[in-house]
Amino acid sequence: MGGVLVIGLNHDPRVMPSTLLGAPLPAFDLPALDEAQPNIKSASMKGGFTLLNVWGSWCVSCREEHPLLMKLSKDKRFKLVGIDWRDTKAHADDYLLTNGNPYAAIGTDQGGRTVIDLGVSGAPETFVVDNTGTVRLRVPGPLTPEIWAKDIEPLLKDQGPAS
Amino acid sequence: MIRIVFAIMLMLFNVEAAHAVLPSEMLTNPVQEARARSISSNLRCLVCQNQTIDDSSADLARDLRLIVRERIVAGDGDGQVMDYVVARYGNYVLLKPPFQMDTALLWLLPFAALILALAVAYATLRGRPVLDDADEPNDILKG
C-alpha cells in the first residue's frame, strides 16, 4: 500500500492523459486570424507533420515558449499552426508584432469549442499531428528544448524528412 | 445565550455554496436547468481541479457549462452529456471515477486495507493471554 502512495507522490495530478493519443485529430474549421487568409481546417493537416499550438495573447507561459517557437518556425519538417484561444484580434496582432510570428497559419477559437474538442485545459498546449492526421503527442504547458529533444524529435525522425 | 448559539449554528450550517452559474447561462426550462446543474456539479473544473464546473468562474468552466446545456437542449440524456465531456477530457473530469480496470485499485484498496487491519487485529487479540484478576493494576493501588 505504501508503494501505491509513493507512486501517487511522483505523479503530477495536473498532467492528464489525453484521450486523443493515437486518435485522429478532431474535425475543426476555424476562421483565420488574418481575415484575408482561408479558414484553418483539420482536414488540411495531412500529408505532413503539423505542430498544433494553442496560445493566446493573455497567456503568460506562452511567452516563455515563444522564443523556441520562433526557432522551430524555421524547421521545414513540419508546419507550425497556431490556434488563438479566447483572444481579441487586436491583442493577438499586437502580441505577434512584439514577439514575432512563428506560425505558418493561425486559426481563432473565440468560443473555445475546438479547444474543448481537443481536450485542452490551459494554454499553451501543443499537439504533434502526423502525416495521416493522427495525434501522436500532446504537450500541456510550454514547450522546452528538453521536451523537444526527448519527445518530439524522435517522432519526426520516424517519419524521415518531409518533402 | 441560546440566541448566540443559534446564530453560530446558522453561520455554520446555512452557508450557501457559491455557484458561478450566471443568470444569462440558465435554461428557461427548469427541469432541463436542474439536470444541467446536477451534471455540472459532477464535472471537475480542469483549471481549478478541486472545484466543479458548477462552482467555478473560470472561462473554461463556463464554456463547459454552456456545452452541457447545449447537449441537454439537443436531447441528450444525462449519461450522453457526461460521455460527451469524458470523450474529450477523460475520466479525470468525473468527480466520482467509474469502477473499471484502471480504477479498480482506487476503489478496492480501502476495503483491502480494512480486511487486512481486521485480520491483524484478530490474530493479535486472539494470541494474547487473558488477564487474571490478580494482575490488575487496581489491586496494586489498593495495596
Side-chain angles (χ1 to χ4, degrees):
Chain A
M1 192 176 313
V4 175
L5 298 178
V6 168
I7 293 171
L9 286 178
N10 292 320
H11 173 77
D12 184 349
R14 285 164 301 179
V15 178
M16 294 156 270
S18 176
T19 54
L20 280 180
L21 279 188
L25 188 67
F28 60 78
D29 185 352
L30 295 171
L33 180 65
D34 176 359
E35 292 103 336
Q37 298 296 315
N39 279 15
I40 313 301
K41 296 177 186 177
S42 54
S44 67
M45 289 172 194
K46 282 180 186 173
F49 268 73
T50 306
L51 236 67
L52 191 60
N53 178 249
V54 178
W55 66 284
S57 65
W58 45 268
C59 154
V60 180
S61 345
C62 295
R63 285 160 207 268
E64 211 176 290
E65 70 173 3
H66 204 82
L68 179 59
L69 294 183
M70 290 305 288
K71 222 185 274 177
L72 296 178
S73 67
K74 297 184 188 85
D75 199 319
K76 298 285 176 240
R77 292 173 297 172
F78 55 86
K79 211 169 130 185
L80 182 56
V81 175
I83 295 183
D84 184 25
W85 182 24
R86 284 190 155 279
D87 212 349
T88 62
K89 179 164 166 53
H91 284 152
D93 284 344
D94 194 40
Y95 177 90
L96 295 173
L97 206 63
T98 313
N99 301 298
N101 181 357
Y103 303 106
I106 302 171
T108 60
D109 189 14
Q110 300 307 349
R113 196 48 67 95
T114 296
V115 166
I116 286 175
D117 281 344
L118 289 167
V120 168
S121 52
E125 200 159 309
T126 307
F127 295 88
V128 180
V129 184
D130 71 11
N131 52 342
T132 64
T134 304
V135 177
R136 297 287 294 274
L137 184 73
R138 166 188 178 229
V139 183
L143 282 180
T144 61
E146 291 75 35
I147 295 174
W148 182 264
K150 190 172 145 278
D151 298 325
I152 303 180
E153 191 69 46
L155 285 177
L156 295 170
K157 274 193 185 122
D158 258 11
Q159 188 55 24
S163 52
Chain B
M1 183 60 194
I2 296 277
R3 245 183 245 179
I4 294 172
V5 171
F6 190 66
I8 291 171
M9 298 279 271
L10 264 185
M11 279 194 282
L12 287 177
F13 298 110
N14 200 30
V15 180
E16 279 276 322
H19 290 297
V21 185
L22 300 172
S24 59
E25 294 173 20
M26 292 181 183
L27 298 173
T28 44
N29 178 332
V31 178
Q32 288 185 334
E33 177 60 23
R35 282 176 55 208
R37 294 300 296 269
S38 109
I39 294 171
S40 302
S41 44
N42 282 307
L43 293 174
R44 187 194 302 272
C45 164
L46 294 130
V47 187
C48 14
Q49 305 220 345
N50 288 330
Q51 278 186 309
T52 68
I53 62 165
D54 198 54
D55 293 333
S56 170
S57 51
D59 285 340
L60 183 62
R62 182 177 162 274
D63 289 345
L64 284 166
R65 285 198 299 270
L66 293 178
I67 285 179
V68 165
R69 284 168 174 78
E70 231 181 69
R71 299 309 313 163
I72 288 176
V73 171
D76 277 8
D78 291 5
Q80 285 170 300
V81 178
M82 290 289 219
D83 289 348
Y84 184 93
V85 182
V86 170
R88 284 153 182 77
Y89 287 98
N91 281 333
Y92 180 81
V93 291
L94 300 175
L95 282 168
K96 212 183 276 169
F99 184 82
Q100 58 189 36
M101 277 306 280
D102 60 345
T103 57
L105 199 61
L106 172 75
W107 283 105
L108 298 179
L109 206 60
F111 297 107
L114 182 66
I115 291 166
L116 188 74
L118 288 175
V120 169
Y122 179 71
T124 315
L125 292 176
R126 200 180 53 159
R128 183 186 290 182
V130 178
L131 291 176
D132 80 55
D133 279 354
D135 289 339
E136 275 188 27
N138 281 348
D139 290 345
I140 300 168
L141 287 177
K142 278 178 203 158

